[in-house]
Each structure stands twice: as structure tokens, then as C-alpha cells.
Amino acid sequence: MLTKLNPVETDSLIRDTEMMRRCIRLSAIAAEQGEFPFAALICEGDCVVVETTNLVVQRGDVTRHAELVAVSEAQKILGRKDLSTCTLYSNVEPCAMCSFPVRETRIGRVIYAISSPIMGGYSRWNVLRDTEIADVMPEAFGPVPEVIAGLCRDEAEQVWRAWNPVVWAVIKHRGYLGHATVATPEHLQAIAPRTSHLRKLLTTLYKRGWEWVAAAKRHSGH
């Protein structure tokens, strides 16, 4: 039986979809600027408080994930630590490092498109679902936020695919983002000889990625 959404739920879904698509467009801009395609928005109701991309390459700082930048800026803009009335939108599931500040600022809702089975603070490391940290230290950590996973996933993945089809194919195969390629028992023997090759390829592509970023910056004159 189909469940009919009430007007409030419908309005929320429309708003969430609109904001996620805005986030996905921003992730494409991140790729154009030489960053990996990560982006995040923090909204309060219909108001966008802050939107940002990864700044890891631009700042030369591995902690400048889009979600961390967004949380930091939102506190400054709103003039408070408590972001319980806010929603965080990210085109990729926040990692564990990004998820702890979400709990500390008490962000009420977290919505993402692409899952991160290896690094995810929800699907892998349970930071966004853990009730104990709030029970033990309620002064520091807020309650478990509402989490919506997979919103506009195909659209978000298309940005990664367009950014670098080869890297995206390897990322998907390794299961770093999205769902890993499923290998049935009869396929394992055929896949095994390629495993070391894929690992070497991903390592090479990761190193070359920084070279491509540097070359793009030189070409653009920045």
C-alpha cells in the first residue's frame, strides 16, 4: 500500500531535494577549481547559512573538508555553537572526522547523496548514530540527528564520473564511495589477478591527481 505524504512532508522533501541539487552543482564547481568533488551546505529552514567546497588543495590542509568548513563558518555567521535548528547537506557521507563536529554543534538533520562505506561517520563508524556519547557527555554532544541517505545519489555520482571516469571506476570497485562491485564466488578467481594491479593504479592516480591540480593552477594563472 502506498503511503501518502502530508503537505509538511512533501514541502520538506521538495526543499531537501532542491538543497541537495544545489550541493551537487557546487561539487562540480569544486572539481573545476582543482579540488575533489566534495561540497556541503548548512541551512536553517529555507535559508542557506553557508555553502562551501573542499578547500584541501587550495589551503594545503587535509582538515579542510567541506563539512568542517561549513560547520565552522555557520557558527560564526549565526553567532552560536548550537546548530540544532540546522540541516547539513553533503554530496558525500561525512567522514568520522566531520561527523564529530556535527554531534558537538547538535546539527538536527544530516542529508547526503553518496555513501562512504570505508570512511563514513554513519554507515561505517557510527558517529552519527551513537547514543552513548550524548548520554555520557550531554554537555558536549547533542542527540542523534535525523539522517537521510542516498538523496539524489545518481546525480551526485554523475559529477564524480564526469570529473574523472577512470578514478571513479576504481573508487567504486574498491568500495570507497557508493557500493562496491559485487564479486560472486565464481568470479573471485577471475578478479584476484587484477587486485594488485588495481591497487597500484589507484595509488598512481592519487599521486597524479595532485600533479594535475598543480598543472591546472599554473595554466589558469593562479
Side-chain angles (χ1 to χ4, degrees):
M1 183 177 69
L2 295 177
T3 301
K4 186 177 180 180
L5 296 176
N6 64 45
V8 174
E9 291 173 325
T10 301
D11 290 345
S12 178
L13 178 59
I14 292 172
R15 181 177 64 247
D16 289 340
T17 301
E18 178 184 347
M19 293 302 181
M20 179 56 72
R21 286 175 172 162
R22 181 168 177 160
C23 183
I24 291 168
R25 290 194 296 270
L26 192 61
S27 73
I29 293 173
E32 293 172 359
Q33 295 176 340
E35 296 281 352
F36 286 90
F38 292 102
L41 276 67
I42 290 182
C43 302
E44 191 170 38
D46 293 327
C47 177
V48 177
V49 177
V50 62
E51 55 184 0
T52 185
T53 67
N54 256 31
L55 296 176
V56 171
V57 175
Q58 297 176 52
R59 301 284 176 83
D61 182 349
V62 297
T63 70
R64 295 295 78 197
H65 287 195
E67 298 93 335
L68 289 180
V69 175
V71 169
S72 177
E73 291 301 313
Q75 292 175 90
K76 296 173 186 176
I77 292 169
L78 296 175
R80 63 179 190 265
K81 174 187 173 183
D82 188 340
L83 304 181
S84 57
T85 57
C86 295
T87 299
L88 169 68
Y89 298 88
S90 179
N91 66 311
V92 175
E93 177 184 350
C95 68
M97 179 174 70
C98 296
S99 296
F100 275 105
V102 169
R103 297 298 302 273
E104 289 189 68
T105 55
R106 303 173 183 272
I107 287 176
R109 302 171 75 231
V110 176
I111 303 176
Y112 63 84
I114 304 173
S115 63
S116 180
I118 303 299
M119 298 293 293
Y122 179 75
S123 61
R124 174 66 186 272
W125 298 110
N126 202 42
V127 178
L128 295 178
R129 293 187 292 183
D130 188 282
T131 59
E132 186 176 4
I133 58 175
D135 292 340
V136 174
M137 297 218 31
E139 303 84 359
F141 297 102
V144 171
E146 175 188 358
V147 176
I148 298 175
L151 184 64
C152 303
R153 184 189 65 194
D154 291 343
E155 296 172 43
E157 289 190 356
Q158 178 56 37
V159 172
W160 280 81
R161 190 177 300 110
W163 164 68
N164 193 312
V166 176
V167 173
W168 176 244
V170 176
I171 285 173
K172 287 279 285 185
H173 182 85
R174 298 284 296 275
Y176 176 68
L177 297 179
H179 299 287
T181 302
V182 177
T184 58
E186 59 267 26
H187 294 152
L188 290 177
Q189 187 173 358
I191 291 174
R194 301 201 301 269
T195 302
S196 61
H197 174 70
L198 283 170
R199 184 175 293 110
K200 291 177 182 177
L201 175 60
L202 185 59
T203 301
T204 300
L205 288 171
Y206 183 81
K207 292 178 179 177
R208 288 295 301 276
W210 298 110
E211 297 173 8
W212 295 336
V213 168
K217 283 188 173 183
R218 287 196 299 271
H219 181 70
S220 63
H222 292 297

